[in-house]
Amino acid sequence: TQLLEQSPQFLSIQEGENLTVYCNSSSVFSSLQWYRQEPGEGPVLLVTVVTGGEVKKLKRLTFQFGDARKDSSLHITAAQPGDTGLYLCAGADLWTGTASKLTFGTGTRLQVTL
Amino acid sequence: NAGVMQNPRHLVRRRGQEARLRCSPMKGHSHVYWYRQLPEEGLKFMVYLQKENIIDESGMPKERFSAEFPKEGPSILRIQQVVRGDSAAYFCASSPLRDGYGYTFGSGTRLTVV
């Protein structure tokens, strides 16, 4: 069974601070996605990383996929209250017969205060 | 383009009743996935369907749960004889390909069993 552990589980920071969220597994994934979910809504895809060592930047968000394709990180620079939400990583494994399902991480709940 | 549409948004059922959850994928998406999110937990894969076919139901409970994606109309997740433990948010996602990319989630149906 593939598992994705996220850390920290909860993070409360002030506006303007930087933060990093980690997503770790003992399994290899063919791609990894990051989502943000707000209360009462479905997850919204932020980014997909597919190559080991890949780094993607989306404005103040930087995503990295580990060289071994087992881990990923999300770094937010100068956090804003609008960044508040539940951040989920999710791995896909195209190399097995059940390629399309995603294994979701345990989630990191971020709160950014003024 | 309309996104993934789920209805109802909220559903209350008494123990022993049936719950029917509907999902209309994005236009042009032929791959539909159902996920369940229990309170304070991540999303768990339930089933993956294409039109008229169940591709992967490895995450579905063995009893009382069924899913379909008919040639015409929305995908349906059906839960018979609901129990309190079925209370959760049920999310549908669709994608244009089976490679795990391009996932779009709906806003979910929140099922409460009383």
Side-chain angles (χ1 to χ4, degrees):
Chain A
T1 303
Q2 296 175 317
L3 293 173
L4 280 167
E5 295 286 337
Q6 287 184 238
S7 62
Q9 270 190 293
F10 302 96
L11 193 54
S12 181
I13 61 172
Q14 290 193 318
E15 184 181 18
E17 293 184 19
N18 302 333
L19 67 118
T20 302
V21 176
Y22 299 95
C23 174
N24 295 293
S25 175
S26 58
S27 303
V28 176
F29 292 97
S30 55
S31 68
L32 201 133
Q33 302 174 11
W34 283 92
Y35 292 83
R36 186 172 79 194
Q37 184 180 21
E38 299 193 18
E41 296 298 327
V44 176
L45 179 66
L46 297 174
V47 77
T48 301
V49 285
V50 300
T51 306
E54 181 177 3
V55 177
K56 276 192 176 178
K57 291 195 174 187
L58 187 67
K59 297 184 180 177
R60 294 178 294 102
L61 278 60
T62 301
F63 305 86
Q64 186 162 9
F65 199 13
D67 291 341
R69 312 170 82 106
K70 292 182 179 181
D71 56 271
S72 181
S73 64
L74 157 60
H75 182 79
I76 301 179
T77 304
Q80 298 176 358
D83 296 327
T84 294
L86 177 66
Y87 288 81
L88 296 162
C89 63
D93 180 5
L94 292 180
W95 302 312
T96 68
T98 53
S100 288
K101 68 182 181 185
L102 294 178
T103 299
F104 275 85
T106 46
T108 294
R109 195 166 296 278
L110 171 65
Q111 182 171 28
V112 182
T113 56
L114 293 169
Chain B
N1 264 346
V4 176
M5 304 301 293
Q6 288 190 250
N7 65 82
R9 287 296 302 271
H10 300 275
L11 183 61
V12 179
R13 284 287 177 265
R14 295 185 185 279
R15 281 178 294 171
Q17 290 185 319
E18 178 180 287
R20 291 170 71 89
L21 288 61
R22 294 174 182 76
C23 168
S24 295
M26 283 189 70
K27 187 176 180 180
H29 287 194
S30 59
H31 303 260
V32 167
Y33 317 83
W34 286 92
Y35 286 79
R36 177 165 64 175
Q37 187 173 36
L38 294 169
E40 302 305 319
E41 290 189 17
L43 284 84
K44 304 293 185 189
F45 169 80
M46 299 182 75
V47 63
Y48 161 39
L49 311 105
Q50 291 181 17
K51 285 285 187 182
E52 300 184 277
N53 286 302
I54 297 175
I55 307 301
D56 180 356
E57 57 181 348
S58 58
M60 288 278 270
K62 298 297 180 196
E63 298 176 347
R64 302 187 298 107
F65 285 72
S66 63
E68 63 177 5
F69 189 15
K71 188 176 180 181
E72 301 290 337
S75 175
I76 306 286
L77 179 67
R78 183 181 177 204
I79 311 172
Q80 295 178 294
Q81 299 175 331
V82 295
V83 301
R84 289 231 170 99
D86 297 332
S87 295
Y90 292 82
F91 291 97
C92 169
S94 71
S95 70
L97 300 170
R98 70 176 292 276
D99 57 7
Y101 301 153
Y103 257 59
T104 301
F105 279 87
S107 296
T109 293
R110 276 142 193 87
L111 172 66
T112 302
V113 180
V114 297

Short mmCIF file of all heavy atoms in Angstrom, two decimals, chain A residues 50-107:
data_model
loop_
_atom_site.label_atom_id
_atom_site.label_comp_id
_atom_site.label_asym_id
_atom_site.label_seq_id
_atom_site.Cartn_x
_atom_site.Cartn_y
_atom_site.Cartn_z
N VAL A 50 6.58 15.86 -12.65
CA VAL A 50 6.68 14.54 -13.25
C VAL A 50 8.11 14.02 -13.35
O VAL A 50 8.30 12.82 -13.54
CB VAL A 50 6.04 14.52 -14.66
CG1 VAL A 50 4.58 14.88 -14.58
CG2 VAL A 50 6.76 15.45 -15.61
N THR A 51 9.10 14.88 -13.25
CA THR A 51 10.49 14.47 -13.43
C THR A 51 11.23 14.56 -12.11
O THR A 51 11.14 15.58 -11.41
CB THR A 51 11.18 15.36 -14.47
OG1 THR A 51 10.42 15.35 -15.67
CG2 THR A 51 12.59 14.87 -14.76
N GLY A 52 11.98 13.51 -11.75
CA GLY A 52 12.77 13.54 -10.53
C GLY A 52 13.69 14.75 -10.52
O GLY A 52 14.37 15.02 -11.51
N GLY A 53 13.68 15.51 -9.42
CA GLY A 53 14.49 16.71 -9.31
C GLY A 53 13.85 17.96 -9.87
O GLY A 53 14.40 19.06 -9.75
N GLU A 54 12.68 17.81 -10.43
CA GLU A 54 12.01 18.95 -11.07
C GLU A 54 11.61 20.00 -10.05
O GLU A 54 11.18 19.69 -8.95
CB GLU A 54 10.77 18.46 -11.81
CG GLU A 54 9.98 19.54 -12.54
CD GLU A 54 8.79 18.99 -13.31
OE1 GLU A 54 8.55 17.76 -13.23
OE2 GLU A 54 8.11 19.78 -13.97
N VAL A 55 11.76 21.27 -10.45
CA VAL A 55 11.33 22.40 -9.64
C VAL A 55 10.39 23.24 -10.49
O VAL A 55 10.71 23.57 -11.63
CB VAL A 55 12.52 23.26 -9.17
CG1 VAL A 55 12.01 24.48 -8.39
CG2 VAL A 55 13.47 22.45 -8.30
N LYS A 56 9.22 23.54 -9.92
CA LYS A 56 8.28 24.41 -10.62
C LYS A 56 7.92 25.58 -9.73
O LYS A 56 7.71 25.40 -8.53
CB LYS A 56 7.00 23.63 -10.99
CG LYS A 56 7.12 22.86 -12.29
CD LYS A 56 5.75 22.37 -12.73
CE LYS A 56 5.84 21.68 -14.08
NZ LYS A 56 4.54 21.14 -14.53
N LYS A 57 7.81 26.75 -10.34
CA LYS A 57 7.44 27.95 -9.58
C LYS A 57 6.12 28.48 -10.11
O LYS A 57 5.90 28.58 -11.31
CB LYS A 57 8.53 29.02 -9.70
CG LYS A 57 9.82 28.65 -9.00
CD LYS A 57 10.73 29.85 -8.83
CE LYS A 57 11.94 29.46 -8.00
NZ LYS A 57 12.80 30.62 -7.66
N LEU A 58 5.27 28.85 -9.16
CA LEU A 58 3.97 29.41 -9.48
C LEU A 58 3.81 30.63 -8.58
O LEU A 58 3.37 30.53 -7.44
CB LEU A 58 2.87 28.38 -9.21
CG LEU A 58 1.45 28.71 -9.64
CD1 LEU A 58 1.35 28.77 -11.14
CD2 LEU A 58 0.49 27.65 -9.10
N LYS A 59 4.23 31.78 -9.11
CA LYS A 59 4.23 33.04 -8.34
C LYS A 59 5.03 32.83 -7.05
O LYS A 59 6.23 32.62 -7.09
CB LYS A 59 2.81 33.51 -8.07
CG LYS A 59 2.04 33.84 -9.35
CD LYS A 59 0.67 34.40 -9.06
CE LYS A 59 -0.05 34.70 -10.36
NZ LYS A 59 -1.44 35.20 -10.14
N ARG A 60 4.38 32.90 -5.90
CA ARG A 60 5.11 32.77 -4.62
C ARG A 60 5.27 31.33 -4.16
O ARG A 60 5.82 31.08 -3.09
CB ARG A 60 4.36 33.57 -3.55
CG ARG A 60 4.36 35.08 -3.79
CD ARG A 60 3.55 35.80 -2.71
NE ARG A 60 2.13 35.45 -2.79
CZ ARG A 60 1.55 34.59 -1.97
NH1 ARG A 60 2.24 34.04 -0.97
NH2 ARG A 60 0.27 34.32 -2.09
N LEU A 61 4.79 30.38 -4.95
CA LEU A 61 4.85 28.97 -4.57
C LEU A 61 5.93 28.27 -5.39
O LEU A 61 6.01 28.44 -6.61
CB LEU A 61 3.49 28.30 -4.83
CG LEU A 61 2.39 28.46 -3.79
CD1 LEU A 61 2.01 29.91 -3.56
CD2 LEU A 61 1.18 27.63 -4.17
N THR A 62 6.76 27.49 -4.71
CA THR A 62 7.80 26.70 -5.37
C THR A 62 7.62 25.24 -5.00
O THR A 62 7.55 24.91 -3.82
CB THR A 62 9.21 27.17 -4.96
OG1 THR A 62 9.37 28.55 -5.28
CG2 THR A 62 10.28 26.36 -5.69
N PHE A 63 7.54 24.39 -6.02
CA PHE A 63 7.31 22.96 -5.82
C PHE A 63 8.54 22.21 -6.29
O PHE A 63 9.12 22.53 -7.31
CB PHE A 63 6.10 22.50 -6.64
CG PHE A 63 4.84 23.26 -6.36
CD1 PHE A 63 4.58 24.44 -7.03
CD2 PHE A 63 3.92 22.80 -5.44
CE1 PHE A 63 3.43 25.16 -6.78
CE2 PHE A 63 2.76 23.51 -5.18
CZ PHE A 63 2.51 24.68 -5.85
N GLN A 64 8.91 21.18 -5.52
CA GLN A 64 10.05 20.36 -5.91
C GLN A 64 9.69 18.89 -5.80
O GLN A 64 9.04 18.48 -4.84
CB GLN A 64 11.26 20.67 -5.03
CG GLN A 64 12.53 19.96 -5.45
CD GLN A 64 13.78 20.59 -4.86
OE1 GLN A 64 13.70 21.46 -4.00
NE2 GLN A 64 14.93 20.15 -5.33
N PHE A 65 10.12 18.12 -6.77
CA PHE A 65 9.94 16.66 -6.76
C PHE A 65 11.30 16.05 -6.48
O PHE A 65 12.28 16.40 -7.14
CB PHE A 65 9.43 16.22 -8.14
CG PHE A 65 8.79 14.85 -8.18
CD1 PHE A 65 8.43 14.16 -7.04
CD2 PHE A 65 8.51 14.27 -9.41
CE1 PHE A 65 7.83 12.93 -7.10
CE2 PHE A 65 7.90 13.02 -9.49
CZ PHE A 65 7.55 12.36 -8.33
N GLY A 66 11.38 15.18 -5.52
CA GLY A 66 12.64 14.59 -5.13
C GLY A 66 13.29 13.79 -6.25
O GLY A 66 12.59 13.27 -7.13
N ASP A 67 14.62 13.69 -6.20
CA ASP A 67 15.35 12.96 -7.25
C ASP A 67 14.86 11.52 -7.38
O ASP A 67 14.80 10.97 -8.48
CB ASP A 67 16.85 12.97 -6.93
CG ASP A 67 17.47 14.35 -7.07
OD1 ASP A 67 16.85 15.20 -7.75
OD2 ASP A 67 18.56 14.58 -6.51
N ALA A 68 14.55 10.91 -6.26
CA ALA A 68 14.11 9.51 -6.26
C ALA A 68 12.61 9.36 -6.48
O ALA A 68 12.08 8.24 -6.46
CB ALA A 68 14.51 8.84 -4.95
N ARG A 69 11.91 10.47 -6.70
CA ARG A 69 10.46 10.46 -6.96
C ARG A 69 9.66 9.88 -5.80
O ARG A 69 8.61 9.28 -6.00
CB ARG A 69 10.13 9.71 -8.24
CG ARG A 69 10.98 10.09 -9.44
CD ARG A 69 10.75 9.14 -10.57
NE ARG A 69 9.54 9.51 -11.30
CZ ARG A 69 9.56 10.07 -12.48
NH1 ARG A 69 10.69 10.35 -13.06
NH2 ARG A 69 8.43 10.35 -13.08
N LYS A 70 10.20 10.05 -4.59
CA LYS A 70 9.47 9.54 -3.43
C LYS A 70 8.98 10.68 -2.54
O LYS A 70 8.23 10.44 -1.60
CB LYS A 70 10.40 8.66 -2.58
CG LYS A 70 10.79 7.35 -3.23
CD LYS A 70 11.65 6.55 -2.27
CE LYS A 70 12.06 5.22 -2.87
NZ LYS A 70 12.89 4.43 -1.93
N ASP A 71 9.43 11.89 -2.78
CA ASP A 71 9.08 12.98 -1.89
C ASP A 71 8.94 14.28 -2.67
O ASP A 71 9.42 14.41 -3.80
CB ASP A 71 10.13 13.14 -0.80
CG ASP A 71 11.52 13.34 -1.37
OD1 ASP A 71 12.20 12.33 -1.60
OD2 ASP A 71 11.89 14.50 -1.61
N SER A 72 8.29 15.23 -2.04
CA SER A 72 8.09 16.53 -2.67
C SER A 72 7.97 17.58 -1.59
O SER A 72 7.70 17.27 -0.41
CB SER A 72 6.81 16.51 -3.52
OG SER A 72 6.61 17.75 -4.17
N SER A 73 8.18 18.82 -1.97
CA SER A 73 8.01 19.92 -1.03
C SER A 73 7.33 21.09 -1.71
O SER A 73 7.41 21.26 -2.93
CB SER A 73 9.37 20.37 -0.46
OG SER A 73 10.19 20.88 -1.49
N LEU A 74 6.64 21.86 -0.88
CA LEU A 74 5.97 23.08 -1.34
C LEU A 74 6.47 24.21 -0.46
O LEU A 74 6.33 24.13 0.77
CB LEU A 74 4.46 22.91 -1.20
CG LEU A 74 3.59 24.18 -1.10
CD1 LEU A 74 3.76 25.05 -2.33
CD2 LEU A 74 2.14 23.82 -0.87
N HIS A 75 7.06 25.21 -1.06
CA HIS A 75 7.57 26.36 -0.33
C HIS A 75 6.75 27.58 -0.72
O HIS A 75 6.57 27.85 -1.91
CB HIS A 75 9.05 26.58 -0.64
CG HIS A 75 9.65 27.72 0.11
ND1 HIS A 75 10.03 27.61 1.44
CD2 HIS A 75 9.93 29.00 -0.26
CE1 HIS A 75 10.54 28.78 1.85
NE2 HIS A 75 10.48 29.63 0.83
N ILE A 76 6.26 28.29 0.28
CA ILE A 76 5.51 29.53 0.03
C ILE A 76 6.32 30.69 0.58
O ILE A 76 6.71 30.69 1.77
CB ILE A 76 4.11 29.49 0.67
CG1 ILE A 76 3.31 28.32 0.12
CG2 ILE A 76 3.38 30.81 0.41
CD1 ILE A 76 1.91 28.19 0.72
N THR A 77 6.55 31.67 -0.25
CA THR A 77 7.28 32.88 0.15
C THR A 77 6.29 33.99 0.47
O THR A 77 5.31 34.17 -0.25
CB THR A 77 8.20 33.33 -1.00
OG1 THR A 77 9.07 32.25 -1.35
CG2 THR A 77 9.02 34.54 -0.62
N ALA A 78 6.57 34.69 1.55
CA ALA A 78 5.74 35.85 1.93
C ALA A 78 4.26 35.49 1.94
O ALA A 78 3.46 36.02 1.16
CB ALA A 78 6.01 37.03 1.00
N ALA A 79 3.90 34.57 2.83
CA ALA A 79 2.53 34.06 2.88
C ALA A 79 1.52 35.19 3.09
O ALA A 79 1.79 36.19 3.76
CB ALA A 79 2.42 33.04 4.00
N GLN A 80 0.35 34.98 2.50
CA GLN A 80 -0.75 35.93 2.61
C GLN A 80 -1.97 35.22 3.19
O GLN A 80 -2.10 33.99 3.05
CB GLN A 80 -1.08 36.50 1.23
CG GLN A 80 0.08 37.26 0.60
CD GLN A 80 -0.23 37.73 -0.81
OE1 GLN A 80 -1.30 37.46 -1.34
NE2 GLN A 80 0.72 38.45 -1.41
N PRO A 81 -2.91 35.95 3.77
CA PRO A 81 -4.11 35.31 4.31
C PRO A 81 -4.85 34.47 3.27
O PRO A 81 -5.46 33.46 3.61
CB PRO A 81 -4.94 36.50 4.78
CG PRO A 81 -3.94 37.53 5.15
CD PRO A 81 -2.83 37.38 4.13
N GLY A 82 -4.79 34.85 2.01
CA GLY A 82 -5.43 34.09 0.95
C GLY A 82 -4.82 32.72 0.72
O GLY A 82 -5.39 31.90 0.01
N ASP A 83 -3.65 32.47 1.31
CA ASP A 83 -3.01 31.15 1.19
C ASP A 83 -3.59 30.16 2.19
O ASP A 83 -3.28 28.96 2.11
CB ASP A 83 -1.49 31.27 1.43
CG ASP A 83 -0.79 32.11 0.38
OD1 ASP A 83 -1.24 32.10 -0.79
OD2 ASP A 83 0.20 32.80 0.73
N THR A 84 -4.41 30.63 3.09
CA THR A 84 -5.01 29.75 4.10
C THR A 84 -5.79 28.63 3.45
O THR A 84 -6.54 28.86 2.49
CB THR A 84 -5.92 30.57 5.03
OG1 THR A 84 -5.12 31.49 5.77
CG2 THR A 84 -6.69 29.68 5.98
N GLY A 85 -5.61 27.42 3.94
CA GLY A 85 -6.34 26.29 3.40
C GLY A 85 -5.67 24.98 3.75
O GLY A 85 -4.68 24.95 4.47
N LEU A 86 -6.23 23.90 3.22
CA LEU A 86 -5.66 22.57 3.41
C LEU A 86 -4.86 22.22 2.16
O LEU A 86 -5.40 22.24 1.05
CB LEU A 86 -6.79 21.55 3.62
CG LEU A 86 -6.38 20.08 3.76
CD1 LEU A 86 -5.59 19.88 5.05
CD2 LEU A 86 -7.62 19.18 3.74
N TYR A 87 -3.59 21.92 2.34
CA TYR A 87 -2.72 21.57 1.23
C TYR A 87 -2.53 20.06 1.20
O TYR A 87 -2.16 19.45 2.20
CB TYR A 87 -1.38 22.29 1.34
CG TYR A 87 -1.51 23.77 1.04
CD1 TYR A 87 -1.95 24.64 2.02
CD2 TYR A 87 -1.24 24.27 -0.23
CE1 TYR A 87 -2.11 26.00 1.74
CE2 TYR A 87 -1.39 25.63 -0.51
CZ TYR A 87 -1.83 26.48 0.48
OH TYR A 87 -2.00 27.81 0.20
N LEU A 88 -2.78 19.49 0.03
CA LEU A 88 -2.72 18.04 -0.14
C LEU A 88 -1.77 17.69 -1.26
O LEU A 88 -1.83 18.28 -2.34
CB LEU A 88 -4.11 17.50 -0.49
CG LEU A 88 -5.21 17.65 0.56
CD1 LEU A 88 -6.58 17.47 -0.07
CD2 LEU A 88 -5.02 16.64 1.68
N CYS A 89 -0.89 16.74 -1.00
CA CYS A 89 -0.11 16.18 -2.10
C CYS A 89 -0.78 14.87 -2.52
O CYS A 89 -1.49 14.24 -1.73
CB CYS A 89 1.34 15.94 -1.70
SG CYS A 89 1.60 14.75 -0.38
N ALA A 90 -0.58 14.49 -3.76
CA ALA A 90 -1.19 13.27 -4.27
C ALA A 90 -0.27 12.66 -5.32
O ALA A 90 0.20 13.36 -6.21
CB ALA A 90 -2.56 13.57 -4.88
N GLY A 91 -0.05 11.36 -5.19
CA GLY A 91 0.84 10.67 -6.11
C GLY A 91 0.09 9.78 -7.07
O GLY A 91 -0.92 9.17 -6.71
N ALA A 92 0.60 9.72 -8.29
CA ALA A 92 0.05 8.82 -9.30
C ALA A 92 1.13 7.81 -9.67
O ALA A 92 2.31 8.13 -9.69
CB ALA A 92 -0.41 9.58 -10.53
N ASP A 93 0.71 6.59 -9.99
CA ASP A 93 1.66 5.55 -10.36
C ASP A 93 1.23 4.96 -11.70
O ASP A 93 0.33 4.13 -11.74
CB ASP A 93 1.68 4.47 -9.26
CG ASP A 93 2.65 3.35 -9.59
OD1 ASP A 93 3.37 3.46 -10.61
OD2 ASP A 93 2.69 2.37 -8.84
N LEU A 94 1.88 5.42 -12.75
CA LEU A 94 1.53 4.96 -14.09
C LEU A 94 2.12 3.60 -14.42
O LEU A 94 1.82 3.04 -15.47
CB LEU A 94 1.98 5.98 -15.13
CG LEU A 94 1.26 7.33 -15.12
CD1 LEU A 94 1.82 8.22 -16.21
CD2 LEU A 94 -0.22 7.14 -15.30
N TRP A 95 2.97 3.09 -13.54
CA TRP A 95 3.68 1.87 -13.88
C TRP A 95 2.96 0.61 -13.44
O TRP A 95 3.40 -0.49 -13.72
CB TRP A 95 5.09 1.91 -13.28
CG TRP A 95 5.86 3.10 -13.77
CD1 TRP A 95 5.98 3.52 -15.04
CD2 TRP A 95 6.59 4.01 -12.97
NE1 TRP A 95 6.76 4.65 -15.09
CE2 TRP A 95 7.15 4.98 -13.85
CE3 TRP A 95 6.86 4.13 -11.60
CZ2 TRP A 95 7.95 6.05 -13.40
CZ3 TRP A 95 7.65 5.18 -11.17
CH2 TRP A 95 8.18 6.12 -12.05
N THR A 96 1.87 0.78 -12.71
CA THR A 96 1.08 -0.38 -12.33
C THR A 96 -0.20 -0.40 -13.15
O THR A 96 -0.50 0.52 -13.89
CB THR A 96 0.71 -0.36 -10.83
OG1 THR A 96 -0.19 0.72 -10.60
CG2 THR A 96 1.94 -0.18 -9.98
N GLY A 97 -0.97 -1.43 -13.00
CA GLY A 97 -2.20 -1.54 -13.80
C GLY A 97 -3.27 -0.56 -13.41
O GLY A 97 -4.18 -0.31 -14.17
N THR A 98 -3.18 0.00 -12.22
CA THR A 98 -4.23 0.93 -11.77
C THR A 98 -3.68 2.33 -11.78
O THR A 98 -3.50 2.98 -10.76
CB THR A 98 -4.71 0.56 -10.36
OG1 THR A 98 -3.58 0.46 -9.50
CG2 THR A 98 -5.44 -0.76 -10.38
N ALA A 99 -3.39 2.79 -12.97
CA ALA A 99 -2.59 4.00 -13.12
C ALA A 99 -3.29 5.26 -12.66
O ALA A 99 -2.66 6.15 -12.13
CB ALA A 99 -2.19 4.14 -14.58
N SER A 100 -4.59 5.36 -12.89
CA SER A 100 -5.20 6.67 -12.80
C SER A 100 -5.59 7.11 -11.40
O SER A 100 -5.88 8.26 -11.19
CB SER A 100 -6.43 6.73 -13.69
OG SER A 100 -6.02 6.77 -15.04
N LYS A 101 -5.61 6.20 -10.45
CA LYS A 101 -6.04 6.65 -9.14
C LYS A 101 -4.91 7.38 -8.44
O LYS A 101 -3.73 7.10 -8.64
CB LYS A 101 -6.52 5.48 -8.29
CG LYS A 101 -5.45 4.50 -7.88
CD LYS A 101 -6.09 3.37 -7.10
CE LYS A 101 -5.06 2.35 -6.64
NZ LYS A 101 -5.71 1.19 -5.99
N LEU A 102 -5.28 8.33 -7.63
CA LEU A 102 -4.32 9.11 -6.86
C LEU A 102 -4.30 8.65 -5.42
O LEU A 102 -5.35 8.34 -4.84
CB LEU A 102 -4.69 10.60 -6.90
CG LEU A 102 -4.61 11.31 -8.25
CD1 LEU A 102 -5.04 12.76 -8.11
CD2 LEU A 102 -3.21 11.22 -8.82
N THR A 103 -3.10 8.61 -4.87
CA THR A 103 -2.93 8.38 -3.44
C THR A 103 -2.69 9.73 -2.80
O THR A 103 -1.70 10.40 -3.13
CB THR A 103 -1.73 7.45 -3.17
OG1 THR A 103 -1.97 6.19 -3.80
CG2 THR A 103 -1.54 7.24 -1.68
N PHE A 104 -3.57 10.13 -1.90
CA PHE A 104 -3.47 11.45 -1.29
C PHE A 104 -2.69 11.40 0.01
O PHE A 104 -2.72 10.42 0.75
CB PHE A 104 -4.86 12.02 -1.02
CG PHE A 104 -5.45 12.71 -2.20
CD1 PHE A 104 -6.15 12.00 -3.16
CD2 PHE A 104 -5.30 14.09 -2.37
CE1 PHE A 104 -6.67 12.63 -4.26
CE2 PHE A 104 -5.83 14.73 -3.47
CZ PHE A 104 -6.52 14.00 -4.42
N GLY A 105 -2.00 12.50 0.28
CA GLY A 105 -1.31 12.66 1.54
C GLY A 105 -2.29 12.99 2.66
O GLY A 105 -3.49 13.19 2.45
N THR A 106 -1.73 13.06 3.86
CA THR A 106 -2.53 13.27 5.06
C THR A 106 -2.95 14.72 5.23
O THR A 106 -3.82 15.02 6.03
CB THR A 106 -1.73 12.83 6.29
OG1 THR A 106 -0.40 13.36 6.19
CG2 THR A 106 -1.62 11.30 6.34
N GLY A 107 -2.35 15.64 4.47
CA GLY A 107 -2.79 17.03 4.49
C GLY A 107 -2.02 17.91 5.46
O GLY A 107 -1.59 17.45 6.53
#
